[in-house]
Amino acid sequence: MRRLPKYDLVSIEDLAIPEIERIFELADMFAENLRDGVPSTRAGGLIMATLFYEPSTRTRLSFESAMNRLGGSVISSADMQASSAAKGESLADTVRVVSAYADLIVVRHPCDGAARVAAEYAPVPVINAGDGSREHPTQTLCDLYILRRKKGDLKGLTVAICGDLKFGRTVHSLIYALARFGANIVAVPYGGMDVPDYVLERLAAERNYKFSTVTIDELKSSFAGGLDALYLTPSAPHQMALFTSENPLEKVPEVRPPAALDAFYVTRLQKERLADKDRAAQGYGHFDVRALRTSRTQEAVVMHPLPRTDELAYELDTDPRAVYFEQAAAGVPVRMALVAWMLESAAREVLRPQAPEPPISFKHEPAPRCAHPTCITRSEGSYLRPRFRLASGSNRSRLALRCGFCERDSRVEYVGHATSHRYYHFDENLSGYVRQWIEEGTLAVFESVKEAEERGYEPYKRGPQREIMNAAEIARACEAIAAQAIADAADPTAIAIVGVVSRGAMLAMRLRDLIEAQTGVRPPCAALDVYGGDPRLRAIDGAETFNVDGRAIVLVDDVINSGWTVQRAMTALWQHGRPAAVKLAVLIDRGYRAVPIRPNYVGRNIPTTRAERVQVRLGIGAETRKNPDRVLLYSMVDSLRERESPT
Ligand code: NCD
């Protein structure tokens, strides 16, 4: 039986320019054959599976139509909620199972990097039909195909890309491709919806390519009154492709200076991906592209990946420059061409892009987590080991890890050395060592000092320490917190206490006893471990289960500073149910905050600097007599002096 080669299309960067050109040649042929009613049997006997975890009209149906038109057949899960995914089956298991039923998998998923995971676990080839806000390479093939048909050559074209450039995955794939073909890009984002940094950094690092960002009004005035204004902004001296690809397959295109705008590529606001802070961007949803019909823009075609919402007027549809329905129609011949090209490629050697450098291996378990909330590693189970490389934006004073799945960067504040078990606040003196530890496989990274200490790491050096709370003061603070929590709860018997492991959990038990003493009701109590791969909530007191639903939860931690730990604990709590209320109690508030979280009950406010460390020491039972409770403040001397070896 015929087989397709295990060739995955996850990013548009997986295709070299000559390969894209070959696909377009095939697409031209299929378009002609479709017009003339000439049937094809190229994919006879092959089955395509379409797995769509997100809604789709064009992409799924045109893939399926294409496969049928090639004489192949299709099995489809158009609504993954009707599949075993709804029972919690992992993506890895799903694609392994489906690989036994099909020769090719087309997958769409709401998480960034999902197609990469599918490609790694499926023995059959996987095509990305959109993964979160990351990429949508086959839409780009349709876009480029139409652009090329309308304009002849992609090289030197000027394309204004408008709308939601932050979450628009079609935009990201299109930008990577236009950069390679030597086109000029003008980004015209809705307010706050700019092209993300990771896309810009990748273009700058790998292709030395930059482009300008303008408002719609600036775009209008540039093209009405002359182009120069657009090119002379000091922050973006030019926006032409300075093409530096090392790939021998791709020649450096000569870019002609733009004289006119060749295309407006308009996109809708990706409402389903907006976080609360992005909501402000709403209301920018309408572009009247007709206003841009000046002498320099009149040749421009208007493109849209569809579906449109209100950003393109229906009156525009009859204008011959409106080509969005042609883009959608191209879905069939272009996707036929892609499958046919894969069949052809089985027979010949294709040059693949260079493999990226190997990921950093971390000695400690669990490996660090990707900070990007919609990364596939955050929603799939622990089978998926996070994978990072050093981010290209890392330098002596800034350390960041780039996720191998979603490609986003996570900034690293604290690093540790896995053999000496010391941790450090990252600064430029450490950058050489960190690189050495990466090579040795001894690098550990932490989100917070707290996490480092929970994992058994000690600060590199400690400065002088002083006691800022003694046992009596700690006891009084706990009593005050318990009294406030009781007074605030509409029904004190609904109180349940959750402490963040480990000192927050110890404090939680004390609060439980105090609340019991004051109300006569012993509130249920649980420990929440947020430092593992999957946060765990464990009942204390020998109870089998701990119920969050409808409870007035008091979430307890010893110290709050950046707020990351508490934020993570809140998220974990909501994964366990729907509390009636959540109040946050901390013994010490250090004042600095990276996320907007304010504790409801604070034992003491102690403004500190980053170089200081607050340590809460709590004894249990008999230990309390030997080592009384105390809160200590000490400075961390963790910056290395020259010639001093950190380990
Ligand atoms: C796009 C998508 O799903 O990313 N649609 C498509 O495939 N043509 C664009 C969108 O939904 O806005």
Side-chain angles (χ1 to χ4, degrees), residues 68-95:
N68 285 317
R69 295 268 192 224
L70 284 172
S73 39
V74 179
I75 53 177
S76 181
S77 201
D79 173 10
M80 290 302 285
Q81 281 315 310
S83 79
S84 282
K87 303 178 196 163
E89 184 162 49
S90 70
L91 181 60
D93 285 356
T94 304
V95 297

Side-chain angles (χ1 to χ4, degrees), residues 55 58-59 108 136 139 169-170 268 270 272-273 304-307:
R58 272 153 295 275
T59 307
R108 170 172 286 189
H136 191 348
Q139 178 64 44
R169 55 194 173 198
T170 69
R268 74 179 172 96
Q270 303 282 302
E272 67 275 36
R273 301 191 209 288
H304 196 301
L306 301 179

Side-chain angles (χ1 to χ4, degrees), residues 127-143:
I127 296 176
N128 180 7
D131 62 331
S133 61
R134 218 184 61 90
E135 279 208 55
H136 191 348
T138 64
Q139 178 64 44
T140 295
L141 291 177
C142 300
D143 299 342

Side-chain angles (χ1 to χ4, degrees), residues 474-486 495 497 506-523:
I474 294 172
R476 273 202 299 280
C478 288
E479 272 164 36
I481 291 173
Q484 281 173 293
I486 295 166
I495 294 179
I497 310 176
M506 290 160 83
L507 285 169
M509 289 188 276
R510 294 187 186 198
L511 289 180
R512 173 201 58 197
D513 296 343
L514 289 165
I515 292 173
E516 184 184 11
Q518 290 182 38
T519 63
V521 182
R522 189 174 174 81

Side-chain angles (χ1 to χ4, degrees), residues 561 590 592 606-613 633-636:
N561 195 36
R590 290 183 54 182
Y592 164 77
I606 303 180
T608 52
T609 67
R610 296 192 80 112
E612 283 172 320
R613 171 80 186 109
L633 179 76
Y634 57 85
S635 55
M636 287 199 296

Side-chain angles (χ1 to χ4, degrees), residues 362-367 385 455:
F362 292 94
K363 271 253 161 53
H364 64 295
E365 285 289 340
R385 258 188 84 78
R455 293 195 192 286

